[in-house]
Amino acid sequence: MEILFSSLALVSAVILHLGLFAESISVYQATDTGPVGAGDDNVILNPRFEDGLNNWSGKGCKIELHESMEDGKIFPQSGKFFASATNRTEIWNGIEQDITGRVQRKVAYQVTAVVRIHVDNVTSAGVQITLWLQEPDFREHSQVTDKDWVQLQGEFLLNGFPSRLVIYLEGPSPGTDILVNSLVVKRAEKIPASARPISKNATFGGNIIENSYLDDGTTGWFPLGNCALSVGTGSPHVLPPMARDSLGTYESLSGRYIIVTNRSDSWMGPAQMITDKLKLYLTYQVSAWVRIGPGATGPQIVNVALSVDSQWINGGEVEFNDDKWHEIGGFFRIEKQPSNVMVYVQGPASGVDLLVSGLQIFPVNRQVRFKYLKKQIDKIRKRDIILKFSRLESSNTVRNSVKVRQIKNSFPLGSCVTRTGMDNEKFVKFLVKIFNWAVFENELKWSWTEPQEGKFNYRDADELLDLCKSYNIEVRGHCIFWEMEYAIQSWVRSLNASGLMTAVQNRLTGLLTRYKVKFRHYDVNNEMLHGSFYPDRLGNDIRANMFKTARELDPYATLFVNDYHIEDGSDIRSTPEKFIQQILDLQKQGAPVGGIGIQGHIDVPVGPIICSALDKLGTLGIPIWFTELDVSCPNEFVRADDLEVVLREAFAHPAVEGVILWGFWELYMSLKNAHLVNADGKINAAGKRFLSLKKEWLSHASGYIDELGEFRFRGFHGTYNVEFVSTTEKFNMTFVVDQGESPLVVSIDL
């Protein structure tokens, strides 16, 4: 197989998952690093070509050594030499080195390469580093440039002991030379454990905006750009709902608003400097009422923005096309001490007046919110239980003790898994112990099961399905189709309308016939709010027809819509209102939409904002699932806090019927700094918080049987073990508590 490192021009961060069958997932950041040191622990021999081309060979092509090229226009970025792979006739041709026996199992390695391309009339091309183990797998392409050297960087972890291991660079089209200045493979450095951030003297709920109620005119405010600010009256006196849910008791708004006129550009609006009022690592909620004046043509976007040392941060946005007041809500967090922070409101087209009332920015008190959520959880996730004992031998019931322990909560908590993870026994052990649901990250996607027309790969999905089945783990099917064009394989993109329709039907028939009744859910067409590949080519009916055909082929499966940024208010393309309208439109066309998938890739979660989205979606009466939940932060304690926010909001909402994490193990996740378990198997602070919540959501009770022969308690839905002990006997049994309003009576015949 082959495992791939990828890089983009001017970027270099890649996370690689290596094993017998694996995939590459890339995360990119701009980099401007100094020379890469080889070091004595480098797996690569002769990494800078100081010993010529010793230990290197060409993979189907010729390799050469250089001190310079192009009459001195190309020099090494560091050192004296670089190599080139020339006479390439296939994309897999490149420069390689056999590293068999030099890489240890289950040790994270970091790979760094400095590369560029050389060819006439081409400025950029795809280059990737590939680790070859046994047999070919799929490829991903990204871009490097001919203008300068680019550093590629990533990490990998081997699960097995390959008989041969080769690393090589490949990717550009035939005729394009690959230039390599250096290649380093060494053990990844262990990042020191995070310290818990401490914010002293935090005033939770305190508004940091000066003169928010405009009691002193526009004092504290200034116009951003050459617009004009003045004060008007007639805005709402109540806080917007999401702020109200966070603040609880509050002072009524003044009814005054800022009106911004003479706007010659969309970014112009009211602004304040708030640099000295912010504390690091606190979660801030943003809230305001906004409105626009006459003259707008079409929907307008209004945005609360922050300029943090000239970097733009989205503090919340809303889109509307009427003259009513609208709530705008958002959030942000500062994790590095800034020099200057400005908040401003912007958005409508030039010439359109902007009205802003009651702008609030305040740190969120999560603990107060958690107390409320615990009460909600007790209402909706628990049930009164009566254990009714018969044929008690002893008339002295005081001596008849009962111990009840919950073995399993029935609420679905699952994780994304990959075929690579199967080869790591510690990964599997954690998975089957902690989770009762799973979803495959890539192995069921069309681009994976049919990367080339007519050439199918169901083996990986089959093996993952067998693993889950052997441990009684329920599985979601992700996904039948995906609307984003970048996620669609090239042969599908090249089809005409007739060919595409045939391919779509074949995909539905092939997949759902093969796996009939094996997947409990299917994400039918992923991210329909953000992409439109299929309706653009096959008409607006195609989406509903996908649902209808899927139902015909597998009536057992619940069919989901699935999209991102629904729950956080940060993307006007995927608001709850637009998601609801999309679902209603599908239902109107006869689509059997049975579930709402909120992906849940969330940064800086704010409970009331998430709850507001869930409340709106809950009006449809369709089960809601978080299908791809992850929260990312380098600080594992902050990550733990963020994860707890989302999990508590989900568990406390009656419309939510399950939560799936988008992975849990470092280097087996698509998002960096979102893992619960480090690569070495150590459970970090986020993982410990997750396990603590699972433990909190188990009910235990003990005591004595009353004079009526009953023992009463209130507990979470799920599976229980009860132990009865008297002076003469001991008795054990299990029982299940399902959802229900009335008390559950469990008869126990002794």
Side-chain angles (χ1 to χ4, degrees):
M1 68 158 292
E2 297 177 346
I3 311 304
L4 309 177
F5 302 73
S6 304
S7 177
L8 291 176
L10 307 180
V11 297
S12 64
V14 188
I15 299 174
L16 303 180
H17 309 173
L18 299 182
L20 292 180
F21 313 97
E23 68 281 358
S24 69
I25 295 171
S26 303
V27 180
Y28 302 107
Q29 292 178 329
T31 182
D32 183 15
T33 60
V36 180
D40 295 334
D41 59 346
N42 189 5
V43 169
I44 301 298
L45 303 178
N46 188 23
R48 294 183 175 281
F49 308 101
E50 293 170 348
D51 194 18
L53 296 174
N54 285 339
N55 303 109
W56 295 94
S57 59
K59 185 177 177 64
C61 63
K62 180 181 178 182
I63 61 172
E64 298 178 357
L65 185 70
H66 306 271
E67 292 185 12
S68 67
M69 289 179 65
E70 291 285 339
D71 297 327
K73 294 180 181 178
I74 300 177
F75 286 97
Q77 185 187 71
S78 61
K80 296 181 179 180
F81 306 101
F82 62 93
S84 66
T86 63
N87 297 342
R88 298 177 61 256
T89 59
E90 301 286 347
I91 61 172
W92 52 265
N93 295 156
I95 185 169
E96 68 177 2
Q97 185 170 136
D98 192 316
I99 58 173
T100 305
R102 286 183 257 155
V103 175
Q104 296 183 32
R105 180 173 181 253
K106 293 188 177 177
V107 173
Y109 286 87
Q110 186 177 67
V111 182
T112 307
V114 177
V115 300
R116 64 186 293 171
I117 59 169
H118 179 247
V119 65
D120 293 335
N121 301 319
V122 175
T123 59
S124 65
V127 173
Q128 60 199 26
I129 308 174
T130 301
L131 193 67
W132 182 90
L133 277 78
Q134 288 186 351
E135 56 191 47
D137 208 354
F138 82 104
R139 286 177 166 79
E140 286 186 3
H141 290 278
S142 30
Q143 302 297 308
V144 299
T145 176
D146 69 338
K147 302 299 182 184
D148 205 349
W149 295 97
V150 172
Q151 180 171 291
L152 291 71
Q153 193 171 72
E155 292 184 343
F156 70 85
L157 184 78
L158 286 180
N159 286 323
F161 295 101
S163 58
R164 188 166 180 239
L165 190 62
V166 177
I167 191 168
Y168 63 97
L169 283 90
E170 61 167 343
S173 58
T176 301
D177 296 346
I178 303 174
L179 311 186
V180 185
N181 187 197
S182 63
L183 179 61
V184 175
V185 178
K186 58 170 61 177
R187 287 195 182 199
E189 294 183 6
K190 290 188 176 181
I191 301 174
S194 309
R196 177 183 288 278
I198 299 176
S199 296
K200 297 181 179 179
N201 303 319
T203 306
F204 293 110
N207 189 9
I208 67 172
I209 295 296
E210 180 184 351
N211 190 25
S212 174
Y213 289 7
L214 305 175
D215 296 329
D216 299 321
T218 58
T219 300
W221 298 88
F222 62 89
L224 186 62
N226 58 357
C227 55
L229 307 184
S230 58
V231 176
T233 58
S235 57
H237 286 266
V238 296
L239 278 178
M242 288 184 285
R244 200 181 317 154
D245 289 343
S246 289
L247 295 173
T249 304
Y250 64 93
E251 180 183 351
S252 297
L253 300 181
S254 66
R256 290 184 286 270
Y257 59 88
I258 292 178
I259 181 168
V260 189
T261 56
N262 299 328
R263 299 177 63 254
S264 58
D265 214 325
S266 61
W267 51 265
M268 293 183 179
Q272 279 195 24
M273 300 302 299
I274 57 173
T275 312
D276 299 332
K277 301 176 182 179
L278 298 172
K279 293 185 180 294
L280 299 185
Y281 288 104
L282 284 184
T283 298
Y284 287 90
Q285 185 172 343
V286 179
S287 173
W289 289 111
V290 293
R291 182 180 161 189
I292 58 174
T297 57
Q300 301 292 304
I301 299 172
V302 177
N303 165 250
V304 177
L306 292 102
S307 174
V308 181
D309 293 337
S310 300
Q311 180 181 358
W312 180 83
I313 293 178
N314 183 4
E317 58 187 8
V318 63
E319 182 183 46
F320 54 93
N321 59 359
D322 55 33
D323 61 354
K324 299 178 181 179
W325 288 100
H326 291 265
E327 176 182 18
I328 189 167
F331 52 86
F332 67 92
R333 181 166 56 219
I334 307 295
E335 298 178 2
K336 181 181 178 182
Q337 189 62 51
S339 298
N340 291 285
V341 181
M342 176 179 65
V343 61
Y344 59 102
V345 187
Q346 61 169 351
S350 60
V352 178
D353 294 346
L354 171 63
L355 289 68
V356 181
S357 174
L359 178 62
Q360 305 253 346
I361 298 180
F362 54 90
V364 177
N365 191 333
R366 288 174 163 177
Q367 295 306 314
V368 170
R369 178 73 179 175
F370 288 169
K371 290 179 181 179
Y372 165 77
L373 294 177
K374 286 181 179 180
K375 294 178 181 178
Q376 293 300 109
I377 288 169
D378 187 85
K379 291 179 182 178
I380 68 170
R381 303 295 179 191
K382 287 184 176 182
R383 187 175 182 183
D384 290 324
I385 302 140
I386 304 172
L387 303 183
K388 196 171 186 65
F389 295 86
S390 60
R391 293 200 244 185
L392 290 170
E393 292 186 4
S394 173
S395 60
N396 186 1
T397 58
V398 175
R399 295 185 178 183
N400 296 326
S401 66
V402 177
K403 285 185 179 180
V404 180
R405 296 190 63 81
Q406 187 170 10
I407 303 168
K408 181 173 63 175
N409 191 309
S410 60
F411 185 81
L413 278 176
S415 175
C416 165
V417 296
T418 67
R419 178 57 187 84
T420 311
M422 280 184 61
D423 299 316
N424 185 327
E425 58 269 23
K426 290 183 179 180
F427 175 97
V428 173
K429 184 178 180 181
F430 190 94
L431 170 73
V432 301
K433 181 180 179 181
I434 302 303
F435 300 105
N436 54 13
W437 277 71
V439 65
F440 308 159
E441 183 174 29
N442 292 306
E443 288 79 356
L444 205 68
K445 292 172 182 173
W446 194 6
S447 59
W448 188 284
T449 61
E450 194 180 3
Q452 298 176 6
E453 187 172 9
K455 295 183 178 180
F456 296 95
N457 170 28
Y458 288 113
R459 180 186 59 189
D460 299 332
D462 289 347
E463 293 180 357
L464 281 170
L465 197 58
D466 289 343
L467 172 73
C468 293
K469 182 179 179 181
S470 67
Y471 290 102
N472 296 316
I473 295 175
E474 300 282 5
V475 188
R476 302 191 74 252
H478 176 80
C479 51
I480 304 176
F481 299 103
W482 195 350
E483 280 288 9
M484 305 301 289
E485 187 163 349
Y486 71 80
I488 298 172
Q489 58 272 53
S490 59
W491 73 265
V492 175
R493 294 197 305 268
S494 68
L495 296 172
N496 60 26
S498 176
L500 180 59
M501 184 64 81
T502 300
V504 165
Q505 184 60 51
N506 291 341
R507 163 67 172 171
L508 284 161
T509 303
L511 185 75
L512 276 78
T513 300
R514 181 185 184 90
Y515 293 118
K516 188 173 183 178
V517 311
K518 294 183 179 180
F519 289 96
R520 291 284 301 275
H521 299 169
Y522 277 111
D523 295 328
V524 175
N525 192 2
N526 199 35
E527 298 174 359
M528 292 185 289
L529 289 172
H530 290 88
S532 57
F533 177 84
Y534 295 101
D536 286 349
R537 291 158 178 80
L538 300 176
N540 292 329
D541 293 340
I542 186 60
R543 289 174 167 175
N545 290 337
M546 289 173 174
F547 275 84
K548 288 186 280 189
T549 303
R551 168 55 56 84
E552 292 171 2
L553 292 168
D554 190 353
Y556 170 81
T558 302
L559 305 181
F560 274 69
V561 292
N562 192 53
D563 226 306
Y564 61 91
H565 283 325
I566 306 297
E567 72 294 320
D568 60 15
S570 66
D571 186 347
I572 54 94
R573 296 171 297 176
S574 52
T575 63
E577 291 81 4
K578 290 184 178 180
F579 209 19
I580 289 169
Q581 189 58 54
Q582 181 180 86
I583 294 166
L584 292 174
D585 290 344
L586 287 167
Q587 290 177 327
K588 188 176 181 180
Q589 297 177 73
V593 180
I596 300 173
I598 298 176
Q599 291 184 6
H601 302 294
I602 305 175
D603 292 323
V604 198
V606 173
I609 294 178
I610 296 172
C611 185
S612 174
L614 296 175
D615 286 345
K616 293 172 183 176
L617 294 172
T619 61
L620 292 174
I622 301 173
I624 300 171
W625 282 59
F626 281 85
T627 56
E628 303 180 17
L629 174 61
D630 53 25
V631 294
S632 175
C633 184
N635 187 295
E636 63 187 62
F637 291 98
V638 177
R639 191 188 320 155
D641 292 342
D642 287 349
L643 181 62
E644 182 177 2
V645 169
V646 186
L647 289 174
R648 287 195 184 277
E649 291 292 340
F651 199 53
H653 202 283
V656 177
E657 296 192 3
V659 174
I660 308 291
L661 304 185
W662 202 237
F664 60 90
W665 198 286
E666 186 179 18
L667 299 186
Y668 294 91
M669 296 184 67
S670 60
L671 187 62
K672 195 172 183 179
N673 297 320
H675 54 282
L676 312 185
V677 184
N678 299 340
D680 60 6
K682 181 180 178 181
I683 300 174
N684 59 36
K688 291 176 181 177
R689 188 72 57 84
F690 179 78
L691 296 178
S692 176
L693 287 172
K694 277 183 61 71
K695 184 177 180 180
E696 179 184 321
W697 296 334
L698 293 174
S699 297
H700 308 301
S702 61
Y704 295 95
I705 299 174
D706 64 19
E707 62 276 6
L708 298 176
E710 297 176 349
F711 179 78
R712 297 170 178 255
F713 71 101
R714 184 170 176 80
F716 289 107
H717 308 137
T719 304
Y720 287 80
N721 175 264
V722 58
E723 179 184 85
F724 166 82
V725 179
S726 71
T727 56
T728 59
E729 61 182 318
K730 187 175 181 179
F731 175 83
N732 280 278
M733 69 169 285
T734 60
F735 62 93
V736 175
V737 177
D738 295 318
Q739 296 184 39
E741 296 295 329
S742 60
L744 174 68
V745 178
V746 180
S747 298
I748 301 176
D749 187 351
L750 298 176

